[in-house]
């Protein structure tokens, strides 16, 4: 099956299976319209292709399934009826997670981010009713619930056992499947990268953030290094490399026998931080791992800042040994060989101290030194 991307990311209620609840005013307008147009109940049910008891149930309750709602919209010839929807439920039962947002729903990078959590620590359980579970630490589950509620869901599960994870709203899975054309967890792992690329740049970053959230190793607190892995699915990890290359993110493979992980050091981490920040307006974060990631970024930036300075000191060190061997040089002359003006005084004194310890410089007067030859290099 070829990749199926909809031309628009707007999803209407009749694009997905479920039940919508209308406000009473609109429900009464619909009933009045049907009675005036068809007069008899039997004609109404025949026009809507519904059983005889349907009209009685609709009068009693404001809920209606999305397929029949589409038939009513077509009869009334008014798509603005969707503005009267006050709630969407996956089913009629009390276990359904109500959505109280507006239709049509824009399948934004945020919706894609949550949908893509099924790749890592998430799991779509097959059955009569596919359910989407996400496994993480309790603080991660709580952070995701906050995001889901900001997406206009009414969701308040009790987190008493993090091993079971949380069951995400069916609407998130259904919208993701409708827009991407991906129905199962296996389909998602095989084709989500290409689909995200077709959806656009922000959707690619949302995918990368979702996978990074689940599969990044950031346990070493004193270094900036981060690893990215996918157990038993190196093919998917290899495809993730395509996104990293496309965005110019530096990385390396760290092999462990027949397995390997993607390893990020200073430049890669800084670039990742820039990418993740670029879609911050979509309210996407690394949830409970955001704080740890930011610490890694700070370490990376500090390392990235110091490295050129260390490299410059090394070049000055080698230049002095090669060009001034056996000659006398002053502190002021040494300073002139630094191109960067940052903290020259401290850096030059440290270089002198290091060279004195190695026997490469001998102090012969106030701020004057005898430079050793190449044979003194260590």
């Amino acid at each position: 099956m070829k990749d199926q991307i909809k031309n628009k990311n707007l999803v209407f209620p009749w694009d997905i299976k479920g039940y919508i609840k209308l406000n009473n005013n609109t429900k009464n307008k619909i009933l009045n319209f049907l009675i005036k147009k068809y007069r008899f109940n039997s004609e109404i049910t025949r026009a809507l292709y519904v059983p005889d008891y349907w009209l009685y149930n609709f009068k009693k309750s404001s809920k209606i399934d999305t397929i029949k709602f589409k038939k009513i919209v077509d009869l009334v010839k008014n798509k603005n009826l969707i503005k009267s929807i006050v709630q969407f439920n996956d089913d009629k039962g009390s276990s359904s997670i109500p959505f109280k947002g507006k239709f049509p729903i824009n399948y934004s990078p945020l919706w894609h981010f949550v949908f893509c959590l099924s790749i890592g620590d998430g799991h779509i359980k097959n059955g009569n009713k596919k359910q989407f579970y996400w496994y993480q630490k309790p603080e991660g589950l709580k952070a995701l619930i906050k995001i889901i509620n900001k997406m206009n869901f009414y969701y308040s599960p009790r987190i008493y056992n993090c091993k079971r994870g949380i069951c995400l709203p069916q609407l998130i899975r259904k919208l993701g499947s409708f827009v991407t054309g991906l129905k199962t967890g296996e389909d998602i792992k095989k084709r989500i990268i290409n689909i995200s690329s077709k959806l656009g740049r922000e959707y690619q970053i949302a995918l990368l953030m979702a996978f990074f959230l689940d599969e990044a190793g950031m346990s070493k607190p004193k270094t900036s290094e981060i690893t990215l892995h996918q157990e038993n699915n190196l093919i998917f990890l290899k495809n993730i490399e395509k996104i990293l290359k496309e965005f110019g993110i530096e990385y390396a493979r760290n092999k462990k026998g027949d397995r390997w992980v993607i390893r990020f050091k200073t430049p890669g981490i800084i670039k990742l931080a820039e990418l993740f920040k670029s879609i911050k307006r979509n309210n996407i974060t690394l949830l409970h791992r955001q704080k740890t990631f930011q610490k890694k970024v700070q370490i990376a930036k500090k390392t990235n800042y110091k490295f050129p300075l260390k490299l410059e000191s090394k070049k000055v060190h080698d230049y002095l040994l090669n060009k001034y061997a056996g000659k006398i040089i002053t502190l002021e002359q040494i300073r002139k060989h630094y191109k960067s003006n940052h903290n020259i005084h401290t850096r030059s004194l440290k270089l002198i101290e290091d060279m004195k310890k190695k026997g490469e410089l001998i102090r012969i007067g106030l701020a004057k030194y005898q430079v050793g030859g190449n044979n003194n290099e260590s």
Side-chain angles (χ1 to χ4, degrees):
M1 183 174 67
K2 294 182 178 179
D3 293 345
Q4 298 176 358
I5 290 291
K6 310 299 176 184
N7 292 329
K8 295 182 179 179
N9 292 342
L10 293 180
V11 183
F12 291 84
W14 46 80
D15 292 327
I16 48 180
K17 290 183 179 180
Y19 294 83
I20 54 101
K21 183 178 182 180
L22 300 169
N23 63 45
N24 288 330
N25 187 43
T26 299
K27 184 184 79 169
N28 292 332
K29 284 183 179 179
I30 290 172
L31 287 171
N32 290 334
F33 172 84
L34 293 173
I35 291 170
K36 286 181 180 179
K37 184 175 178 66
Y38 296 103
R39 296 181 62 188
F40 302 108
N41 289 355
S42 58
E43 290 184 12
I44 294 175
T45 55
R46 196 179 301 118
L48 294 176
Y49 302 101
V50 294
D52 293 338
Y53 60 80
W54 180 86
L55 193 61
Y56 171 79
N57 288 341
F58 183 55
K59 289 178 181 179
K60 191 176 179 181
S61 170
S62 298
K63 281 189 178 181
I64 179 174
D65 70 76
T66 53
I67 303 301
K68 294 180 181 66
F69 179 65
K70 178 63 165 64
K71 291 178 181 177
I72 290 174
V73 170
D74 290 341
L75 282 176
V76 178
K77 296 180 181 179
N78 183 7
K79 284 189 176 182
N80 286 329
L81 288 178
I82 63 174
K83 294 180 180 179
S84 301
I85 297 174
V86 294
Q87 184 173 309
F88 173 93
N89 286 81
D90 178 65
D91 57 32
K92 291 182 179 179
S94 60
S95 63
S96 177
I97 300 166
F99 174 75
K100 293 181 176 290
K102 295 181 179 179
F103 283 91
I105 298 172
N106 176 35
Y107 187 75
S108 65
L110 177 60
W111 283 80
H112 194 61
F113 167 76
V114 181
F115 178 68
C116 288
L117 291 176
S118 60
I119 299 168
D121 289 331
H123 173 64
I124 294 178
K125 184 179 179 182
N126 293 326
N128 293 332
K129 182 179 178 180
K130 291 181 180 178
Q131 292 181 310
F132 177 8
Y133 290 92
W134 192 59
Y135 305 84
Q136 265 289 353
K137 294 179 180 178
E139 54 267 33
L141 302 180
K142 291 176 183 177
L144 182 59
I145 289 169
K146 286 183 179 179
I147 283 185
I148 290 173
N149 284 328
K150 287 180 181 179
M151 294 166 71
N152 295 310
F153 286 93
Y154 183 73
Y155 190 36
S156 56
R158 294 179 181 178
I159 303 172
Y160 57 88
N161 188 345
C162 65
K163 291 182 179 179
R164 294 181 61 182
I166 57 173
C167 183
L168 273 63
Q170 287 278 58
L171 184 58
I172 291 175
R173 181 189 61 78
K174 288 184 175 182
L175 254 70
S177 294
F178 175 78
V179 174
T180 65
L182 307 177
K183 307 295 182 183
T184 66
E186 185 179 354
D187 273 347
I188 293 170
K189 287 187 177 181
K190 284 182 179 178
R191 300 167 52 225
I192 192 64
I193 291 176
N194 291 335
I195 295 289
S196 300
S197 177
K198 291 181 181 180
L199 284 170
R201 181 179 185 274
E202 290 190 336
Y203 293 84
Q204 286 179 288
I205 300 173
L207 160 65
L208 186 59
M209 283 189 73
F211 187 69
F212 189 90
L213 169 65
D214 277 340
E215 303 295 352
M218 297 188 283
S219 59
K220 296 179 180 178
K222 294 183 179 180
T223 67
S224 63
E225 185 174 304
I226 296 174
T227 56
L228 190 62
H229 55 90
Q230 172 70 5
E231 294 179 4
N232 303 319
N233 193 358
L234 292 182
I235 294 176
F236 186 81
L237 194 61
K238 188 174 182 180
N239 288 332
I240 283 288
E241 289 182 300
K242 295 177 182 178
I243 298 180
L244 301 178
K245 289 177 181 177
E246 185 173 340
F247 286 115
I249 301 171
E250 290 187 31
Y251 70 94
R253 284 193 182 190
N254 186 12
K255 292 192 175 182
K256 294 182 178 180
D258 59 343
R259 297 187 178 186
W260 51 272
V261 298
I262 291 174
R263 184 173 48 145
F264 301 103
K265 286 193 174 182
T266 298
I269 292 167
I270 292 173
K271 183 65 177 179
L272 279 173
E274 292 173 358
L275 280 180
F276 294 169
K277 187 178 180 180
S278 71
I279 61 170
K280 187 178 179 180
R281 60 181 175 274
N282 292 286
N283 295 318
I284 303 174
T285 72
L286 294 175
L287 305 182
H288 62 297
R289 310 193 76 187
Q290 184 70 30
K291 187 176 180 180
T292 302
F293 177 67
Q294 287 303 324
K295 287 181 180 179
K296 293 283 185 179
V297 173
Q298 290 173 7
I299 294 172
K301 287 182 176 180
K302 191 174 181 180
T303 303
N304 195 49
Y305 176 70
K306 286 184 174 181
F307 181 74
L309 301 181
K310 289 182 178 180
L311 183 62
E312 185 179 42
S313 292
K314 177 68 168 59
K315 288 180 179 179
V316 174
H317 166 271
D318 293 345
Y319 184 80
L320 294 179
L321 290 181
N322 290 327
K323 299 297 181 181
Y324 285 87
K327 298 179 182 178
I328 296 174
I329 190 170
T330 65
L331 174 59
E332 188 61 31
Q333 286 177 303
I334 293 175
R335 288 174 178 172
K336 288 180 179 179
H337 291 295
Y338 283 91
K339 293 182 180 179
S340 171
N341 292 324
H342 176 75
N343 211 5
I344 289 180
H345 177 72
T346 302
R347 292 163 63 208
S348 58
L349 290 180
K350 188 176 185 306
L351 175 63
I352 290 170
E353 191 63 29
D354 289 342
M355 292 182 73
K356 282 168 62 179
K357 287 179 181 178
K358 295 177 182 179
E360 296 169 340
L361 277 185
I362 300 172
R363 186 172 182 272
I364 60 172
L366 184 62
K368 286 186 180 182
Y369 306 91
Q370 174 80 41
V371 182
N374 284 326
N375 60 335
N376 290 326
E377 278 193 80
S378 59

